[in-house]
């Protein structure tokens, strides 16, 4: 089992990666990891996430009460947003919040990332909706993000930044990289006259690859198993559209998990 100290070091490493890649400025961004049903490690508020050491990292419970923090350190001001993700998504073990330039520009312009334009973005992310603006550090952000949590693993925060989460810290971080890369491609291809979008058939073939890989998490490939068009070009609002699909979502998750196990046993 990985020790708590080791996880604190991993949080510092990911903090350095988001800072070094310019995904946060100054003291922005925050990271958390679930270590048991009622214990979470998180970055402290008001420090540069690029220069943390394990002593900076705070431990809290699921109500946000501090279980351990060294003198001078308090949990992130956005911890309520992280805790809402863990509450609504029991499959999630890590959450990353950052302000990457391109993704945040789309969030500021109010444009969700929904155009199917390159295979990796379609397979890894599907669509990235925008949660309505909320004042930082208040309950407005968790309240606005909540409706997207059952359907997506990455959400833009209107006029603010991006939020990603996954079953491991590295996967949550990679999701942030993927969101930013997708947003940059979308921005630049728009400058070149507009991206050429995949057809429905091309999107469905990419969804099929995702299902075959048994990739976990929430994604239109799983949510919309029986839908012809999936969620792309749904203008980012298919949190509502897919609501009735929750049952098929659970089934799809199970299929994904079983497929993954079979593939692992076959050594693929
Ligand atoms: P904290 O330093 O309190 O985590 O806040 C940083 C931030 O980016 C708020 O959105």
């Amino acid at each position: 089992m990985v020790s708590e100290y080791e996880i604190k070091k991993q949080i510092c490493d990911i903090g350095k990666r988001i800072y070094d890649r310019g995904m946060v400025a100054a003291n922005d961004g925050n990271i958390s990891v679930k270590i048991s049903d009622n214990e979470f490690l998180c970055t402290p508020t008001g420090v540069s996430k690029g220069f943390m050491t394990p002593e900076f990292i705070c431990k809290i419970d699921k109500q946000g009460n501090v279980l351990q923090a060294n003198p001078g350190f308090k949990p992130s001001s956005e911890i309520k947003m992280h805790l809402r993700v863990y509450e609504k998504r029991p499959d999630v073990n890590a959450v990353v919040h950052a302000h990457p330039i391109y993704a945040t520009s789309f969030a500021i312009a109010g444009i969700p990332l929904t155009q199917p334009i390159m295979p990796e973005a379609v397979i890894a992310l599907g669509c990235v909706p925008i949660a309505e603006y909320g004042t930082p550090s208040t309950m407005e952000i968790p309240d606005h993000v909540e409706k997207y949590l059952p359907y997506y693993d990455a959400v833009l925060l209107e006029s603010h930044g991006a939020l990603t989460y996954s079953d491991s810290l590295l996967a949550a971080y990679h999701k942030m990289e993927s969101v930013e890369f997708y947003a940059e491609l979308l921005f630049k291809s728009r400058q070149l006259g507009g991206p050429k979008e995949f057809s429905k058939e091309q999107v469905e073939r990419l969804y099929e690859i995702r299902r075959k890989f048994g990739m976990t998490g929430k994604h239109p490939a799983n949510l919309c198993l029986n839908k012809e068009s999936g969620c792309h070009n749904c203008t980012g609002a298919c949190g509502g559209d897919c609501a009735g699909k929750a049952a098929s979502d659970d089934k799809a998750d199970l299929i994904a998990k079983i497929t993954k196990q079979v593939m692992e046993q076959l050594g693929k």
Side-chain angles (χ1 to χ4, degrees):
M1 207 184 101
V2 187
S3 72
E4 213 169 289
Y5 187 75
E6 201 51 46
I7 299 170
K8 288 180 179 180
K9 278 200 331 206
Q10 289 170 4
I11 293 175
C12 297
D13 285 348
I14 295 299
K16 183 161 165 43
R17 286 173 82 165
I18 58 171
Y19 184 77
D20 288 350
R21 280 189 71 112
M23 291 175 156
V24 288
N27 295 338
D28 296 350
N30 28 73
I31 301 163
S32 67
V33 171
K34 179 175 173 178
I35 55 171
S36 76
D37 281 350
N38 192 33
E39 290 174 309
F40 305 84
L41 296 176
C42 70
T43 51
T45 186
V47 307
S48 170
K49 292 6 176 240
F51 300 92
M52 299 183 300
T53 57
E55 295 70 36
F56 283 41
I57 306 303
C58 305
K59 189 156 95 166
I60 54 162
D61 68 13
K62 61 181 171 198
Q63 267 84 43
N65 301 311
V66 179
L67 299 176
Q68 194 272 320
N70 286 323
F73 296 107
K74 280 199 302 197
S76 166
S77 58
E78 297 292 8
I79 200 61
K80 303 174 200 83
M81 168 175 76
H82 292 237
L83 291 173
R84 189 67 63 90
V85 178
Y86 294 118
E87 184 194 331
K88 298 293 166 190
R89 289 284 303 272
D91 57 316
V92 165
N93 292 315
V95 177
V96 175
H97 165 53
H99 305 158
I101 293 282
Y102 289 95
T104 305
S105 300
F106 275 88
I108 289 170
I111 305 168
L113 308 174
T114 55
Q115 288 180 278
I117 57 162
M118 60 97 71
E120 284 75 8
V122 172
I123 293 173
L125 296 168
C127 304
V128 184
I130 304 183
E132 297 69 15
Y133 179 73
T135 308
S137 85
T138 69
M139 291 308 260
E140 288 170 16
I141 299 190
D143 288 350
H144 293 168
V145 160
E146 182 172 323
K147 72 169 182 261
Y148 299 100
L149 298 176
Y151 311 106
Y152 303 93
D153 286 348
V155 179
L156 297 181
L157 309 175
E158 188 180 355
S159 304
H160 182 165
L163 179 69
T164 57
Y165 34 93
S166 194
D167 52 3
S168 75
L169 177 55
L170 189 61
Y173 165 72
H174 278 159
K175 211 138 262 191
M176 186 62 77
E177 273 193 1
S178 300
V179 169
E180 178 61 351
F181 191 62
Y182 176 24
E184 184 171 356
L185 289 174
L186 208 45
F187 179 85
K188 291 189 172 164
S189 55
R190 282 179 177 209
Q191 286 182 322
L192 292 169
K196 195 163 161 295
E197 287 186 15
F198 290 137
S199 67
K200 280 178 189 173
E201 291 70 29
Q202 287 168 323
V203 169
E204 187 43 49
R205 256 179 271 152
L206 295 169
Y207 284 3
E208 190 52 41
I209 289 174
R210 185 184 161 100
R211 291 195 284 265
K212 221 186 257 164
F213 282 164
M215 290 164 77
T216 52
K218 306 298 176 186
H219 186 280
N222 299 344
L223 288 168
C224 304
L225 263 188
N226 304 316
K227 272 185 101 185
E228 235 177 69
S229 59
C231 288
H232 276 105
N233 279 328
C234 64
T235 70
C238 81
D241 188 29
C242 289
K245 302 281 177 195
S248 88
D249 176 29
D250 287 346
K251 207 159 62 186
D253 253 9
L254 188 65
I255 293 168
K257 264 185 214 142
I258 293 169
T259 309
K260 197 176 177 188
Q261 282 167 9
V262 171
M263 298 289 272
E264 276 165 9
Q265 277 170 20
L266 291 173
K268 302 239 161 135

